[in-house]
Amino acid sequence: MEKFVIEGGKPLKGEIKTSGSKNATLPVLAATLLTDGVCEIRNIPKLRDTLTMCKLLRSLGKTVEIGANKVTVSGSVNNHVADYKLVSTMRGSFCVLGPLLAKLGKAKVSMPGGCIIGVRPIDLHMKGITALGVKSDFEAGYVIARAPRLKGAQMYLGGTFGSSVLATANVMMAASLAHGETVIESAACEPEIEELGDFLSSMGAKIEGQGTPRIIINGVRKLNGINYKMGPDRIEAGTFLLLAAAAKSDILVRDAHYNHLLALIDKLQMIGVDVQKDGADIRVKCKKTLRPANIVTHPHPGFPTDLQAQYMALMAITPGVSIITDRVFPDRFMHIAELNRMGASIRRDAGVAIVEGVKKLFGAPVMASDLRASAALVIAGLVAQGQTQVHRIYHLDRGYEDLDGKLTGLGARVYREKE
Ligand code: EPU
């Protein structure tokens, strides 16, 4: 196991490049199961999660060649069992369910289980595939599903906490090869779903409305191979914007999709950060003391839950009081205790975090609990006085490509050490 050692308080400046989107890559890789053609996908971030998805595709019969930020998938799927060992380590792998059903008419996929950010049920996935005519059972921790021929249907996929990204992805992929028309109402509108829709369209699927709450899919008999380039990771870019604000820096975030980050950018501008679109990049300048502001996370286009922890790190050093509510994952607050170890003043009261901004954070040994919490601790460590050690950085390696290298390029002092 490795840890990050961060010498805090170094001035940060310059350019930082955004990698391809992790959360778009995972369903896109799953979608390659839908074709026997060759799929060449570029700008894939080299991450633990994308490698796990490649391993899963191999275990299902596909040939997967992994290059530098490029993955080529070929061959036919010949196994319908998605193993516990691979699915349990990463929830994103549950979205092989839809493609397996579409291609083989059967699937046995390990249930992804809960995780540190909340319970994370799968009822919306099951509702969606059941509407397409799938019969399913739960047995020994697996979903066992069967449907000789999927049939298009209208369905409502809204849940208690809003729409579901991966349930929408599962249904879109299954419906692409189903017989007839599928209409998903209250579909997830996240840019990752829009990208999956574009990917499926380029494979020959008949799909419209991706990126809106109503997606219409007319099933086709066959999908083709494709050459495709993944778009940038909005959560990684948003993390860099928040880092620039926290470090009071002038940073150019390269290859960042401004329109995918409007909720964050609006909030940053409101609290006094200068954020400008600069072609395909975003420039962020922050020289002064900021004002605090509350956030409530919501599905896209609301403030993303995946940036909540990093925003909390910024509020921890912004004078005044802010209230942070996560309506997507109401228990996603494991980072509070670790930020407090660094001198932050944050308390949790029922479903909200109340942050009283302090003048300074101090370096400390802290424990990464999940991917985005880890990013928050790195931001805190970079602006803290003294040395911070972030333990268990395998969480970061799941979702941030070469983060230490990229931060070093800005002038940060961050290095890896064995635990
Ligand atoms: N939900 C249900 N029933 C379901 C599915 C979800 O009630 O069947 C609830 C969840 O418990 C949650 C809400 O609906 O309260 C939204 O969950 P969603 O299904 O949208 O999450 P997901 O698709 O499992 C993806 C991302 C997460 C991101 C969420 C929300 C991937 C691989 N994961 O998860 O990313 O937080 O959408 O935007 O795309 C991360 O990258 O750190 C991460 C956790």
Side-chain angles (χ1 to χ4, degrees):
M1 250 200 272
E2 291 182 318
K3 63 182 175 189
F4 264 7
V5 179
I6 305 173
E7 305 294 344
K10 305 285 170 236
L12 306 181
K13 196 170 170 46
E15 296 184 7
I16 190 161
K17 190 176 175 324
T18 311
S19 296
S21 163
K22 166 183 86 84
N23 286 349
T25 296
L26 297 176
V28 155
L29 284 173
T32 64
L33 293 168
L34 293 165
T35 177
D36 298 336
V38 178
C39 295
E40 193 176 290
I41 309 166
R42 289 164 290 122
N43 201 31
I44 291 210
K46 215 164 199 161
L47 300 169
R48 212 156 62 92
D49 277 8
T50 50
L51 288 174
T52 303
M53 187 53 111
C54 289
K55 275 191 207 157
L56 181 58
L57 294 181
R58 278 188 187 132
S59 76
L60 298 172
K62 291 293 221 178
T63 301
V64 184
E65 288 165 48
I66 302 173
N69 294 117
K70 187 175 110 176
V71 170
T72 308
V73 188
S74 56
S76 302
V77 53
N78 57 22
N79 171 22
H80 71 288
V81 184
D83 193 61
Y84 171 81
K85 272 196 225 97
L86 292 167
V87 181
S88 63
T89 58
M90 184 186 80
R91 191 176 170 88
S93 48
F94 193 66
C95 65
V96 298
L97 178 66
L100 286 177
L101 284 165
K103 203 69 176 113
L104 299 177
K106 57 184 178 176
K108 179 175 173 183
V109 181
S110 170
M111 286 171 65
C115 76
I116 205 82
I117 65 173
V119 181
R120 306 188 80 180
I122 54 166
D123 56 310
L124 296 172
H125 298 251
M126 302 317 291
K127 186 178 179 186
I129 60 163
T130 303
L132 297 178
V134 173
K135 302 265 178 275
S136 57
D137 267 316
F138 298 102
E139 200 180 291
Y142 280 82
V143 174
I144 301 181
R146 188 172 284 276
R149 180 85 167 101
L150 296 173
K151 223 167 155 288
Q154 183 177 32
M155 65 186 76
Y156 178 78
L157 277 195
T160 317
F161 301 100
S163 52
S164 162
V165 177
L166 290 175
T168 303
N170 252 330
V171 172
M172 283 164 79
M173 291 188 276
S176 293
L177 289 180
H179 180 70
E181 183 181 86
T182 297
V183 180
I184 310 175
E185 306 283 4
S186 198
C189 302
E190 270 67 9
E192 293 75 21
I193 289 296
E194 199 174 341
E195 183 150 19
L196 174 65
D198 294 347
F199 183 82
L200 291 168
S201 288
S202 315
M203 291 173 93
K206 292 206 164 20
I207 181 160
E208 57 186 78
Q210 60 266 33
T212 78
R214 184 165 212 251
I215 302 178
I216 303 171
I217 304 149
N218 273 288
V220 295
R221 291 198 91 66
K222 188 171 168 273
L223 294 174
N224 312 311
I226 176 180
N227 189 315
Y228 186 85
K229 182 176 177 213
M230 297 305 305
D233 192 310
R234 69 188 168 106
I235 302 301
E236 187 194 20
T239 302
F240 296 152
L241 297 187
L242 285 160
L243 166 63
K248 307 285 175 286
S249 308
D250 177 348
I251 291 176
L252 184 73
V253 182
R254 290 193 38 227
D255 293 342
H257 213 311
Y258 190 92
N259 288 348
H260 289 172
L261 284 162
L262 291 179
L264 170 67
I265 290 170
D266 182 60
K267 196 57 74 169
L268 287 173
Q269 289 169 338
M270 197 186 290
I271 65 177
V273 185
D274 180 8
V275 188
Q276 305 281 344
K277 186 172 186 316
D278 186 349
D281 309 326
I282 302 177
R283 176 163 293 285
V284 48
K285 285 189 202 163
C286 181
K287 286 286 165 226
K288 52 181 186 198
T289 307
L290 303 175
R291 295 180 289 280
N294 302 344
I295 57 157
V296 181
T297 73
H298 285 292
H300 192 76
F303 194 100
T305 174
D306 290 344
L307 289 171
Q308 178 258 107
Q310 302 90 313
Y311 183 82
M312 193 183 292
L314 172 62
M315 286 299 103
I317 49 156
T318 301
V321 175
S322 52
I323 296 176
I324 296 181
T325 312
D326 199 321
R327 289 240 200 276
V328 180
F329 292 115
D331 291 321
R332 195 177 201 176
F333 284 132
M334 295 291 286
H335 38 284
I336 293 179
E338 300 306 299
L339 288 170
N340 283 346
R341 286 173 68 80
M342 301 177 71
S345 175
I346 309 169
R347 70 198 144 85
R348 189 174 168 188
D349 190 354
V352 303
I354 301 159
V355 187
E356 285 178 61
V358 295
K359 281 210 169 74
K360 246 190 198 12
L361 294 176
F362 298 93
V366 286
M367 193 68 81
S369 55
D370 75 84
L371 171 55
R372 308 304 171 187
S374 316
L377 296 177
V378 170
I379 293 177
L382 288 168
V383 300
Q385 186 177 315
Q387 188 185 83
T388 295
Q389 300 192 4
V390 184
H391 296 278
R392 292 203 199 155
I393 53 155
Y394 59 86
H395 288 294
L396 273 174
D397 293 333
R398 288 186 48 204
Y400 289 92
E401 187 178 46
D402 186 27
L403 184 61
D404 36 343
K406 289 185 184 185
L407 294 174
T408 303
L410 290 178
R413 288 202 56 204
V414 183
Y415 44 96
R416 276 170 196 261
E417 272 183 9
K418 289 256 177 278
E419 293 276 15

